[in-house]
Amino acid sequence: MMRKYWVRSFVMAALFGAAMPAFAAEITSPAKQAYVSDFATGKVLFSKNADAPMKPASMAKIMTVFVAFQRIADGQLGMDDKFTISEKAWKKGGSRTFLEVGKTVSVRELLHGIIVQSGNDAAIVLAEGISGTENAFADEMNFWAKNIGMKNTNFRNST
């Protein structure tokens, strides 16, 4: 009895599946560059000017946060560690968290400022606090970028 049920179910599924046309959604984007892949398989689903050079804008801040979390995972940095706001960070334009020069801020607050507010000032403070200078931090960003497969990426700063 069980075998009949299984065979009947298989035949119905095969017929139903054959009657349904297979549609693949076409991905389009007005963006100048785009890259979409299936994380599980690595298959590229959509690519548009993927190797064309571009300014990463706030994407650099994602790598800044990534490096910070690597340091936290390695035990080299704690969420309650504090860094002092430099004049360079305080003067930085663009998206800001409005940190005050000379004040100290925790890593937790800096990460919040970068992730939620896209704060350039918070990213610079974190970079300087972790590596001493933003240039040295950019070297670490590039190290990690290469390690995770970002072959055509070159970061110059934390923002």
Side-chain angles (χ1 to χ4, degrees):
M1 179 79 167
M2 185 66 155
R3 184 178 171 133
K4 280 186 183 179
Y5 179 76
W6 182 84
V7 170
R8 185 176 22 188
S9 296
F10 178 80
V11 170
M12 288 180 70
L15 290 174
F16 182 76
M20 298 295 294
F23 291 104
E26 183 177 326
I27 300 173
T28 61
S29 173
K32 291 179 183 177
Q33 294 95 2
Y35 186 85
V36 179
S37 66
D38 181 317
F39 182 76
T41 65
K43 180 181 177 188
V44 176
L45 304 174
F46 178 70
S47 179
K48 181 178 177 184
N49 298 321
D51 293 324
M54 63 175 275
K55 291 184 179 180
S58 290
M59 297 301 289
K61 290 180 210 146
I62 292 173
M63 183 57 79
T64 297
V65 170
F66 176 86
V67 170
F69 279 116
Q70 286 297 321
R71 291 288 188 103
I72 291 167
D74 292 345
Q76 299 174 36
L77 183 66
M79 293 292 274
D80 295 321
D81 290 352
K82 295 189 182 267
F83 297 131
T84 303
I85 313 307
S86 69
E87 190 167 335
K88 176 185 176 182
W90 177 73
K91 285 183 175 180
K92 182 69 175 172
S95 300
R96 302 191 54 203
T97 57
F98 301 100
L99 300 171
E100 295 180 45
V101 69
K103 300 270 179 159
T104 58
V105 182
S106 71
V107 168
R108 181 183 325 281
E109 293 168 306
L110 292 169
L111 287 168
H112 185 267
I114 297 167
I115 295 166
V116 176
Q117 296 174 291
S118 192
N120 290 331
D121 50 356
I124 293 170
V125 173
L126 193 61
E128 292 172 340
I130 288 173
S131 299
T133 67
E134 194 175 17
N135 287 340
F137 188 79
D139 291 340
E140 187 166 352
M141 293 170 73
N142 288 317
F143 167 81
W144 281 107
K146 300 296 182 257
N147 278 346
I148 62 174
M150 299 171 74
K151 298 173 192 151
N152 297 322
T153 304
N154 182 35
F155 293 103
R156 294 186 183 155
N157 58 52
S158 63
T159 62

